[in-house]
Amino acid sequence: MAETEAALRTLAHNVRAARNRAGLSLDELGRRAKVSKGALVGLEKAQGNPNFATLVRLADTLGVSVSALLEGSPEQRVRVVGTDAVMPLWRGERGSEARLMLTTGGPAATEVWRWTLEPGEEYTSHPHQAGVTETVSVTTGEMVLVVDGVEHPVAAGQTAAFDADAAHAYRGSGTGPCHLIMTVHLPPGPA
């Protein structure tokens, strides 16, 4: 429980700091990110439990990575992160999950994600801010990448790249789990 409280305090601090750097009021951030003012007030007081979609919308609106909202310590020169060190930010009903492993620093950050998609299970993402691109590299299994309603099968050993400012979804296909590495390339912007 102490880890959860510490994570919420870190998230609260980082959201408030990013909002202040962007010069946004709670009302304006809420309007742009489509998050209620009450939820933002609670979040900045380290209360509540924001879902993955809310974190993505806030990060996009503030021009930062999702992990910039979650990380509490400054970057080290070399970081080695194991899957067991990070909690899933999304879990599907059939056992699928997405874990944000780390985000690179610099003016144009890259998020590195590990996904497991069970057959038939889908995660739908809202469009990101203009300039965000994603790559999906399937290591085992099969998936379907849906961008603007068009389905693109991606199998083990294949990588797909797309502009993520369009509606998109990831769906497991085939007979077993699909494991993939997804990278989200953020455009240069405020840190």
Side-chain angles (χ1 to χ4, degrees):
M1 193 63 157
E3 286 180 15
T4 301
E5 290 173 5
L8 282 172
R9 284 192 305 274
T10 298
L11 176 62
H13 173 268
N14 292 344
V15 168
R16 187 173 37 259
R19 180 177 63 78
N20 288 335
R21 277 192 310 272
L24 297 175
S25 67
L26 285 167
D27 288 324
E28 184 62 14
L29 176 58
R31 186 186 67 73
R32 291 184 187 184
K34 297 181 176 114
V35 176
S36 74
K37 182 179 178 181
L40 287 174
V41 168
L43 194 148
E44 288 194 4
K45 290 182 176 181
Q47 300 168 344
N49 185 16
N51 65 29
F52 177 52
T54 298
L55 292 176
V56 170
R57 286 194 309 273
L58 287 171
D60 279 351
T61 302
L62 293 166
V64 299
S65 66
V66 173
S67 63
L69 297 179
L70 299 172
E71 291 178 347
S73 59
E75 264 188 59
Q76 300 170 351
R77 187 170 179 97
V78 175
R79 289 181 292 160
V80 177
V81 181
T83 305
D84 57 343
V86 293
M87 296 298 297
L89 289 178
W90 171 75
R91 285 193 178 164
E93 292 179 7
R94 298 181 187 173
S96 298
E97 65 179 30
R99 294 174 189 252
L100 176 57
M101 300 304 295
L102 60 85
T103 300
T104 63
T110 299
E111 297 176 351
V112 179
W113 293 79
R114 285 189 183 270
W115 285 73
T116 301
L117 291 171
E118 294 296 332
E121 192 154 42
E122 180 171 300
Y123 177 81
T124 302
S125 178
H126 74 284
H128 297 292
Q129 65 179 325
V132 174
T133 60
E134 291 188 15
T135 63
V136 178
S137 298
V138 175
T139 57
T140 59
E142 303 169 37
M143 69 167 290
V144 174
L145 172 64
V146 183
V147 180
D148 269 342
V150 178
E151 295 187 357
H152 305 273
V154 186
Q158 294 182 319
T159 298
F162 63 99
D163 294 330
D165 59 354
H168 54 283
Y170 324 98
R171 183 174 61 240
S173 61
T175 58
C178 174
H179 297 277
L180 61 104
I181 303 295
M182 179 180 72
T183 58
V184 179
H185 306 270
L186 304 170

